[in-house]
Amino acid sequence: MARTAAHLIERVIPWVSTRQWVVSVPIPLRYWMAASQELTAKIHTIIRTTIAQYYVNQAVTRGIERQKVQPGSVTCIQRFGGAMNVNLRFHVIFLEGVYLARTDQGLKPRFVKVEPPSDTDIAEVLQRTSRRVIRTLRQLGYLEAGIDEAVATGYDPLLDDEPELARTMTASVKQRIAFGERAGQQVRRIGSGFGYEGELPERTGPRCASVNGFSLHANTQVPAHRRDQLERSVYGTRRRVA
């Protein structure tokens, strides 16, 4: 963990201000992602590109050509909670700005810092993220298509191939006991927890919001000169995902 943090600080993340975006997902999706690396990668791509679009749009509003800018980020995927329960969520460290390509001028890229996101920006990013994820889950067969409510179809490859593992992971996601005399208590089934299509984001704190079972926290910003603070942030993130 220490080596990874040192590598990111010394060789990967440039000396610019950064912001950590922490995205949590609905309980059913945690289970589906835990059972599928491919699905996890798809959800990560949606999250990363949606946040990246925010930074690109901020640069474009300042008169910079969209095709000449490039955001940057590093993601760590947390796989368990404090009780060692299955709890996948994404810790994404984004540069607080974009790099402007200047190869046509024979110059190195220049970093363009943007303003910190507002509470409204956070809510909009989260809502776009949740809608894109739900749309993808419908396309992949996890959620019913053609209705406003996000309802599970019952599609569960892990249950078909490894029923005992599926049972254990389901209990872990729900923080319930899987086996023994206390097993078998019925709680809400996998597939609920996405809210409804027209749900509006709720602001839950400074630069924090929740909607459709998703939540986003992006109030942790590190100035460019505070490499010690950034290293502690990266190390803490790695500690939670190791």
Side-chain angles (χ1 to χ4, degrees), residues 40-159:
T40 302
K42 290 180 182 294
I43 302 303
H44 170 240
T45 297
I46 292 172
I47 292 170
R48 177 177 50 79
T49 55
T50 303
I51 299 173
Q53 286 172 1
Y54 160 76
Y55 282 110
V56 171
N57 291 339
Q58 291 299 304
V60 170
T61 60
R62 300 176 61 174
I64 300 175
E65 295 182 45
R66 184 179 298 272
Q67 63 271 23
K68 289 188 176 182
V69 299
Q70 179 64 50
S73 65
V74 173
T75 301
C76 291
I77 302 177
Q78 178 174 333
R79 298 189 177 276
F80 55 86
M84 298 300 290
N85 56 301
V86 176
N87 181 13
L88 272 74
R89 63 179 179 176
F90 300 85
H91 296 253
V92 191
I93 296 177
F94 257 92
L95 309 184
E96 191 87 304
V98 297
Y99 272 96
L100 172 63
R102 300 188 294 172
T103 53
D104 56 340
Q105 306 172 44
L107 300 173
K108 294 181 178 180
R110 176 172 66 88
F111 184 71
V112 179
K113 191 177 185 299
V114 301
E115 293 298 317
S118 66
D119 290 347
T120 299
D121 293 330
I122 296 301
E124 290 176 351
V125 167
L126 182 61
Q127 187 160 52
R128 283 196 294 271
T129 299
S130 68
R131 287 175 175 173
R132 290 171 179 174
V133 170
I134 290 173
R135 183 166 61 245
T136 297
L137 293 174
R138 284 183 171 137
Q139 293 170 350
L140 295 175
Y142 287 94
L143 297 177
E144 295 283 358
I147 58 176
D148 290 338
E149 187 178 357
V151 177
T153 61
Y155 174 65
D156 189 348
L158 183 64
L159 182 62

Side-chain angles (χ1 to χ4, degrees), residues 7 10 13 23 26 33 45 60 80 88 117 123 143 154 157 159 170 177 184 195 214 225 234:
H7 172 73
E10 296 172 5
I13 303 176
V23 181
M33 289 194 305
T45 297
V60 170
F80 55 86
L88 272 74
L143 297 177
L159 182 62
T170 300
I177 296 175
F214 297 81
H225 66 282
V234 172

Side-chain angles (χ1 to χ4, degrees), residues 120-224:
T120 299
D121 293 330
I122 296 301
E124 290 176 351
V125 167
L126 182 61
Q127 187 160 52
R128 283 196 294 271
T129 299
S130 68
R131 287 175 175 173
R132 290 171 179 174
V133 170
I134 290 173
R135 183 166 61 245
T136 297
L137 293 174
R138 284 183 171 137
Q139 293 170 350
L140 295 175
Y142 287 94
L143 297 177
E144 295 283 358
I147 58 176
D148 290 338
E149 187 178 357
V151 177
T153 61
Y155 174 65
D156 189 348
L158 183 64
L159 182 62
D160 295 335
D161 299 334
E162 299 287 347
E164 293 303 321
L165 178 59
R167 177 183 174 186
T168 303
M169 286 180 56
T170 300
S172 181
V173 168
K174 296 177 179 179
Q175 298 191 53
R176 303 294 180 184
I177 296 175
F179 303 100
E181 295 181 357
R182 297 177 59 195
Q185 290 187 351
Q186 188 66 37
V187 295
R188 63 179 185 176
R189 67 185 180 88
I190 285 289
S192 61
F194 285 88
Y196 63 95
E197 193 75 14
E199 184 177 335
L200 296 177
E202 177 185 357
R203 298 177 188 178
T204 55
R207 297 189 179 91
C208 299
S210 63
V211 68
N212 299 130
F214 297 81
S215 69
L216 171 59
H217 180 284
N219 200 38
T220 302
Q221 191 264 353
V222 180

